[in-house]
Amino acid sequence: MPSPQSRGALTLKEADMGVADLPLLNQIKGRLTWLDERQRVIAQNVANSDTPGYVARDLALPKDFSAAMSAGPVTLARTQAGHIAPPSPAARYAAVEAPDSETTLDGNAVVVEEQMLKMTESRMAYEAAIGFYQKSMTMLRMAARPPGR
């Protein structure tokens, strides 16, 4: 007997797959999450720009954002029936020390101008990812339309 794939029928797993389960959209979601987390780390760096001994941090760029999204080590648990179910676990990206080009006499290794450049890079990458997401959704809507509309 031919398999469901050879007959053109959808398997149960494929039939339950939603738009959010598409690998392309998972990659974009992972990228946006990483950029959001990077903005948070950069903001912490700027906030600590006068703290003696503080070394700037940054996030390591993962090779696969989708895998990073599914590998989050911290998850919430629903401890009582009246609690709202926790959302899917958020990705966890490791912040690593990334000292800037200068270190002051008190040991602070944050250069605000370099942090602002990183923030601008992140903002531009975020806008590009949002644009790519919007174009992807437009293509999906167009593909889902009945012929002739």
Side-chain angles (χ1 to χ4, degrees):
M1 179 167 187
S3 69
Q5 284 85 9
S6 65
R7 291 187 311 223
L10 294 176
T11 64
L12 184 59
K13 182 178 179 184
E14 292 169 332
D16 290 341
M17 186 172 160
V19 173
D21 298 326
L22 294 173
L24 172 66
L25 297 182
N26 278 336
Q27 287 287 340
I28 295 171
K29 181 180 177 184
R31 175 80 172 162
L32 291 171
T33 303
W34 182 83
L35 288 166
D36 183 50
E37 185 73 13
R38 185 173 192 222
Q39 287 283 71
R40 189 185 61 74
V41 169
I42 293 169
Q44 287 176 346
N45 290 342
V46 172
N48 286 294
S49 63
D50 290 331
T51 304
Y54 186 82
V55 177
R57 300 178 318 150
D58 202 353
L59 297 183
L61 186 67
K63 292 181 182 177
D64 183 6
F65 288 104
S66 183
M69 289 293 292
S70 62
V74 177
T75 58
L76 296 176
R78 187 174 179 185
T79 57
Q80 293 185 12
H83 290 169
I84 297 173
S88 60
R92 293 289 180 181
Y93 299 102
V96 295
E97 285 191 353
D100 287 340
S101 61
E102 300 172 9
T103 302
T104 60
L105 292 176
D106 65 1
N108 186 290
V110 177
V111 178
V112 175
E113 291 82 6
E114 290 181 25
Q115 296 301 312
M116 292 298 109
L117 286 173
K118 288 179 184 180
M119 192 168 282
T120 301
E121 288 171 1
S122 293
R123 182 186 52 83
M124 289 173 24
Y126 195 89
E127 289 173 0
I130 289 291
F132 193 58
Y133 175 80
Q134 289 171 337
K135 293 291 184 185
S136 299
M137 292 304 294
T138 300
M139 287 186 349
L140 287 171
R141 284 187 201 104
M142 190 177 351
R145 270 191 227 143
R149 287 193 181 185

